[in-house]
Amino acid sequence: MKCQKCSKSATFHITDLTGDGLLALHLCPDCAKHYLQPEVEDTETPKITGVLSDQLKLEQTAEELQELDSKKCPICGISFGKFRQAGRLGCPHDYVFFGAELKPLLESVHGSTEHVGKRPQRGAYDTESQTELIRLRGEMKLAVSEENYEKAQEIRDRIRSIEDQT
Amino acid sequence: MEIDDLASTSGEWLRGIGPQSDIVMSSRIRLARNLADFPFIRQCNDIDRANIDSTVRQRLGSNKALRDLTFIDVATLEALDRQFLVERQLISREHANSDGARAVAIDGQEQLSLMVNEEDHLRIQVMKSGLDLDGAWAQINELDDQIEQQLTYAFHEQFGYLTACPTNVGTGMRVSVLVHLPALVITNQIEKVFRSLQKINLVVRGLYGEGTQAMGDFYQVSNQITLGKSEKELIDQVGDVVPVVIDYERKARKFLIEEDQNELFDQVSRAYGMLQTARRISSEETMHLLSRVRMGINLGLIGDLEIPQVNELFIQTQPAHLQKIHQSALSTDERNIERANFLHRNLKSQDN
Ligand SMILES: [Zn+2]
Ligand SMILES: [Zn+2]
């Protein structure tokens, strides 16, 4: 059998799921390599960026979208635009901060927005110290990048004292 | 434990035991967890990553149940050793190829592995031979509880365990069963299976070896949804459907035998013969032929070879494994020759 993309002989027989249904492909090793490479990247996570852009296109005007994209999490600094591009959030607080935008996304990916499974047995940090810790780590990063090690040390001590309380 | 010690052993999940192990290679459950007080990996700098890495090691080291895990510092490993861990299914390809402080902790049987600083701070994994999702869940749930004694997870009342990607949020759980479906492939029925599983929110994917190489007729069935269902429901969703797939594969095998036993026997024998006599052989071809042979053993067409041996050959003929066993780096062509030699040594026919 000949490769469907070039004229070499096909040794790979791939059946793949696409948005429209099934795709049977007969490829030579080179073309198969090319074809399979991007697949390997996200073996476990369905394309979330696609779901997001579809959802936003339907509901937002261009200006609204631009404004939304520039909205930034105060804790980790990630913008909604960056999340939309990469499909990955920046910190736990984003689930709260971008909550209104995330809910329809979760609904369309999972068909639900409510966790019903296991819960940690031990008390978690309260939201306040959790965000405080991430904020302090951000400040520490900045201090280190400015080579202000004294300040960094000071912040580190504050981080330790919060950690020790829990 | 050193990586080199791993090369001469093999993981528990390759033992070819457990329910339905003729068709089910392994059952795997993975939990994604993040520490409450760090940004997710993408927003971490080198200091954060190093901090997470050392925090996890320290806290886990102080727990009796977790102390026996061996930490391997993935960041300082050679590319070949990282590839080796990928082939071994102990770390993901992303984990092998990313940058910065990161580690994996494993147990002696290679049933447990804990990736630190993958896409999430922690990716906990349990792997079992055959179809044993309840066993895998019991083990990983206990492990998760132990870790949670030491570390505070990012958790939200409504959204559950918080993960970097919203597709994993809630339970953070991915349940996967690796099934060997050669007869469904030969009879062109595999698409039908894909389609029906997709309808009930399950994902089916081929399993890949090095980078791009399709692993002969092995498919991974996993849950897609992680939020809004309990862990038990998610496990049952996969666990209930796999026996149906197994039954379907068995019927296809039966059909092949009844239809043309000689043709099937010919295919299996040729595959076995090629593996025994080839002078140079690629990884893809090896996978393909081993797959036929594996089915042949299950159908009683090959008497002098056993499933665990074939399972091991699947792993040991992968590029990094070959090079570790050979104890030196090899070019593609050298690997193809070494692979043929390795197969020849391990598959010496008892008749001649
Ligand atoms: Zn081609
Ligand atoms: Zn954030």
Side-chain angles (χ1 to χ4, degrees):
Chain A
M1 193 183 292
K2 286 252 157 64
C3 171
Q4 290 174 332
K5 303 213 168 170
C6 68
S7 58
K8 282 180 267 178
S9 83
T11 54
F12 276 81
H13 309 283
I14 300 163
T15 309
D16 207 359
L17 281 172
T18 64
D20 308 320
L22 287 138
L23 184 66
L25 286 163
H26 309 282
L27 303 171
C28 71
D30 286 340
C31 296
K33 194 169 188 166
H34 190 74
Y35 179 77
L36 291 170
Q37 197 71 66
E39 291 282 308
V40 172
E41 298 298 318
D42 52 2
T43 355
E44 294 198 330
T45 43
K47 278 262 178 297
I48 192 164
T49 42
V51 181
L52 258 171
S53 61
D54 286 353
Q55 186 184 305
L56 290 169
K57 251 182 271 159
L58 293 172
E59 291 168 10
Q60 251 75 23
T61 68
E63 291 103 71
E64 280 171 336
L65 194 62
Q66 204 173 12
E67 199 187 309
L68 179 62
D69 273 355
S70 58
K71 191 176 166 187
K72 267 188 184 165
C73 166
I75 305 297
C76 71
I78 200 174
S79 69
F80 192 75
K82 193 175 168 198
F83 162 61
R84 209 157 61 86
Q85 236 171 26
R88 300 293 181 278
L89 293 161
C91 79
H93 183 63
D94 297 354
Y95 279 94
V96 179
F97 188 72
F98 298 122
E101 291 78 29
L102 280 175
K103 272 184 197 168
L105 171 74
L106 295 176
E107 182 67 47
S108 81
V109 171
H110 299 284
S112 166
T113 58
E114 298 281 338
H115 176 58
V116 295
K118 184 177 177 176
R119 292 160 181 275
Q121 298 159 334
R122 215 166 49 97
Y125 289 116
D126 54 59
T127 319
E128 212 171 297
S129 32
Q130 190 175 312
T131 41
E132 178 71 0
L133 280 169
I134 298 173
R135 194 183 61 76
L136 284 172
R137 287 216 173 82
E139 279 181 21
M140 188 166 77
K141 265 186 245 182
L142 193 67
V144 170
S145 74
E146 289 166 348
E147 300 186 11
N148 189 345
Y149 298 111
E150 209 170 305
K151 189 174 172 198
Q153 188 58 48
E154 206 176 284
I155 299 169
R156 156 152 295 199
D157 292 344
R158 276 164 66 198
I159 292 175
R160 292 240 163 102
S161 82
I162 296 177
E163 283 177 340
D164 289 345
Q165 281 164 26
T166 50
Chain B
M1 180 167 34
E2 302 284 325
I3 301 257
D4 290 348
D5 299 333
L6 285 176
S8 57
T9 64
S10 71
E12 173 77 18
W13 59 277
L14 287 171
R15 280 179 49 205
I17 52 167
Q20 319 283 8
S21 55
D22 54 334
I23 291 172
V24 179
M25 185 91 144
S26 61
S27 304
R28 188 174 64 128
I29 298 183
R30 180 271 274 160
L31 297 175
R33 298 286 187 257
N34 286 281
L35 308 188
D37 47 348
F38 282 92
F40 295 142
I41 292 294
R42 260 184 199 244
Q43 294 298 100
C44 280
N45 66 1
D46 291 350
I47 301 168
D48 291 323
R49 291 180 70 121
N51 244 324
I52 294 165
D53 190 61
S54 65
T55 305
V56 170
R57 287 187 204 219
Q58 270 169 24
R59 303 277 177 87
L60 265 48
S62 65
N63 178 299
K64 229 169 81 188
L66 302 168
R67 215 163 23 204
D68 292 339
L69 294 177
T70 305
F71 271 90
I72 298 172
D73 186 1
V74 176
T76 58
L77 286 182
E78 307 255 343
L80 181 63
D81 286 335
R82 295 197 305 252
Q83 178 61 32
F84 176 85
L85 293 175
V86 173
E87 290 174 7
R88 207 74 170 200
Q89 304 201 23
L90 293 170
I91 65 173
S92 65
R93 198 176 315 285
E94 293 72 22
H95 198 52
N97 297 339
S98 77
D99 296 303
R102 61 199 191 282
V104 61
I106 56 177
D107 72 320
Q109 282 78 48
E110 294 176 47
Q111 291 196 46
L112 316 177
S113 85
L114 180 81
M115 281 186 273
V116 184
N117 291 345
E118 210 246 19
E119 179 182 300
D120 295 295
H121 298 153
L122 295 178
R123 287 275 174 107
I124 312 165
Q125 173 182 291
V126 166
M127 199 133 81
K128 293 279 199 186
S129 181
L131 182 60
D132 184 14
L133 289 173
D134 291 333
W137 169 245
Q139 208 171 347
I140 203 167
N141 189 28
E142 169 64 23
L143 185 63
D144 184 46
D145 288 347
Q146 292 295 337
I147 297 171
E148 196 244 322
Q149 298 295 315
Q150 310 299 323
L151 297 161
T152 306
Y153 287 151
F155 184 85
H156 185 276
E157 277 306 310
Q158 185 187 350
F159 300 130
Y161 293 94
L162 303 179
T163 52
C165 184
T167 54
N168 294 317
V169 79
T171 56
M173 183 164 87
R174 195 76 60 201
V175 180
S176 309
V177 177
L178 186 60
V179 282
H180 184 218
L181 306 174
L184 289 176
V185 174
I186 295 172
T187 55
N188 279 322
Q189 308 232 46
I190 196 83
E191 295 86 354
K192 239 197 265 180
V193 178
F194 279 15
R195 227 174 297 143
S196 46
L197 293 185
Q198 198 192 22
K199 275 189 200 136
I200 52 170
N201 283 318
L202 295 179
V203 191
V204 187
R205 283 188 177 278
L207 182 78
Y208 305 113
E210 181 190 53
T212 56
Q213 290 155 358
M215 200 162 164
D217 308 329
F218 282 96
Y219 294 90
Q220 200 150 267
V221 180
S222 352
N223 63 306
Q224 184 155 30
I225 288 170
T226 57
L227 180 66
K229 285 186 193 297
S230 70
E231 288 82 1
K232 180 90 179 68
E233 287 174 301
L234 293 174
I235 289 167
D236 287 348
Q237 202 188 12
V238 177
D240 288 349
V241 90
V242 167
V244 179
V245 176
I246 293 171
D247 188 47
Y248 208 30
E249 167 69 16
R250 291 229 163 91
K251 287 198 174 113
R253 291 181 184 190
K254 194 159 165 265
F255 168 82
L256 285 175
I257 287 197
E258 282 165 3
E259 190 70 5
D260 195 345
Q261 181 166 7
N262 291 334
E263 163 67 20
L264 187 66
F265 196 12
D266 181 62
Q267 275 193 35
V268 170
S269 309
R270 276 169 189 269
Y272 194 23
M274 291 271 271
L275 289 167
Q276 286 171 316
T277 57
R279 304 306 277 278
R280 65 176 59 174
I281 189 164
S282 71
S283 186
E284 304 91 87
E285 191 176 6
T286 306
M287 293 295 167
H288 176 73
L289 298 173
L290 281 173
S291 172
R292 289 285 177 277
V293 166
R294 197 180 189 278
M295 176 175 66
I297 297 171
N298 285 325
L299 292 174
L301 302 175
I302 293 178
D304 58 351
L305 196 60
E306 296 191 16
I307 291 289
Q309 246 180 303
V310 180
N311 289 354
E312 275 186 32
L313 289 176
F314 272 110
I315 299 296
Q316 288 173 333
T317 54
Q318 305 257 334
H321 270 74
L322 265 187
Q323 294 173 78
K324 294 302 281 183
I325 293 165
H326 193 253
Q327 296 182 337
S328 70
L330 300 168
S331 68
T332 308
D333 194 47
E334 288 168 339
R335 283 205 298 270
N336 291 345
I337 294 168
E338 178 56 25
R339 185 175 293 111
N341 288 337
F342 182 83
L343 287 165
H344 181 72
R345 284 200 302 276
N346 283 276
L347 292 174
K348 262 190 210 139
S349 172
Q350 277 158 18
D351 322 329
N352 48 42

